[in-house]
Amino acid sequence: MSQDKVSVSPLPVASNIVWHPHVLDRQQRETTNGHPALVIWFTGLSGSGKSTLAGALEQALFSRGIKTYLLDGDNLRHGLCSDLGFSDIDRRENIRRVGEVSKLMVDAGLVVLTAFISPNKTERQKIRDSMEAGQFIEVYVDTPLEICEARDPKGLYKKARAGELLNFTGIDAVYEAPEHPDIYLDGSQPMGSSIEKLLFVLKNDFLF
């Protein structure tokens, strides 16, 4: 997580652009796929287990014939968001881009899983508001900071505590936890039980 990126500057808003409608729409793709399209948005601290859970859930859904795609925070920062650092403005732009990509994938009829710290509740709400009701499912992986630090798979907490990594969520940057997530997971519990809960809620309330 390099801190030497240049923050994104506001650019002039493009003009003379018109949304181009497609012959095929989301409803047709959903009918072909046999399930609704939506975004399952995992949020939580670094090391909370959200990426692992998102990956395991995608496998479980895929094995059930659900058309899926997983967007991971680090992966997108290798390409689409490689020009962004970790300032507040860059983090907001990072999440905005992810939201726009997610919307396109929903339009393609997919179940999109995302794994992002996404610390700002306002930015998460903006993505929810940009979609139709029921298309955005917020999954809060609530893992105590001490457990996240003990895991520290990338050594980021150690660097943050040593002052080598600034603006790190949970240490010197705020994480705004969801107050009313669509699905709440206790990140200290075994992954198997969390996946069972996810599948149960999705089956009964959203997907099947």
Side-chain angles (χ1 to χ4, degrees):
M1 289 187 172
S2 173
Q3 303 295 310
D4 57 0
K5 302 289 185 181
V6 178
S7 293
V8 174
S9 298
L11 296 175
V13 176
S15 59
N16 300 316
I17 57 174
V18 179
W19 184 265
H20 180 76
H22 296 285
V23 175
L24 295 175
D25 60 21
R26 190 194 77 245
Q27 288 79 9
Q28 290 170 291
R29 297 185 179 100
E30 288 178 331
T31 299
T32 297
N33 292 342
H35 60 78
L38 46 82
V39 176
I40 304 173
W41 188 282
F42 287 81
T43 178
L45 293 173
S46 177
S48 63
K50 58 189 179 298
S51 292
T52 302
L53 285 166
L57 178 61
E58 186 189 28
Q59 286 183 300
L61 293 175
F62 186 80
S63 69
R64 288 162 171 77
I66 306 295
K67 304 297 190 299
T68 65
Y69 195 82
L70 173 61
L71 296 173
D72 180 79
D74 282 356
N75 290 356
L76 264 67
R77 280 186 175 273
H78 278 86
L80 178 67
C81 300
S82 61
D83 59 324
L84 300 176
F86 290 88
S87 66
D88 185 62
I89 189 172
D90 282 7
R91 287 183 173 209
R92 291 172 186 268
E93 173 61 15
N94 181 61
I95 295 305
R96 187 195 69 80
R97 293 182 192 182
V98 175
E100 291 299 322
V101 171
S102 298
K103 286 168 59 180
L104 290 173
M105 289 188 162
V106 166
D107 190 55
L110 301 177
V111 170
V112 187
L113 301 94
T114 76
F116 293 84
I117 294 173
S118 47
N120 188 284
K121 66 175 64 177
T122 300
E123 302 309 309
R124 298 193 301 266
Q125 186 64 43
K126 284 181 181 178
I127 298 173
R128 181 191 294 274
D129 292 343
S130 73
M131 299 183 179
E132 294 181 11
Q135 284 186 339
F136 183 89
I137 303 172
E138 186 179 56
V139 180
Y140 175 32
V141 185
D142 184 11
T143 307
L145 178 61
E146 57 269 22
I147 293 180
C148 295
E149 284 202 70
R151 293 172 178 170
D152 203 12
K154 304 172 187 175
L156 300 179
Y157 283 101
K158 183 178 180 180
K159 290 182 179 180
R161 290 295 189 188
E164 300 171 9
L165 194 59
L166 302 178
N167 201 29
F168 188 73
T169 306
I171 303 300
D172 58 352
V174 175
Y175 175 75
E176 297 176 349
E179 296 176 4
H180 305 288
D182 298 294
I183 302 176
Y184 173 88
L185 297 178
D186 181 347
S188 65
Q189 296 300 305
M191 186 177 69
S193 62
S194 294
I195 295 299
E196 287 181 5
K197 179 176 180 178
L198 284 165
L199 290 172
F200 177 82
V201 175
L202 289 171
K203 179 178 180 180
N204 287 277
D205 296 342
F206 296 102
L207 265 180
F208 308 111

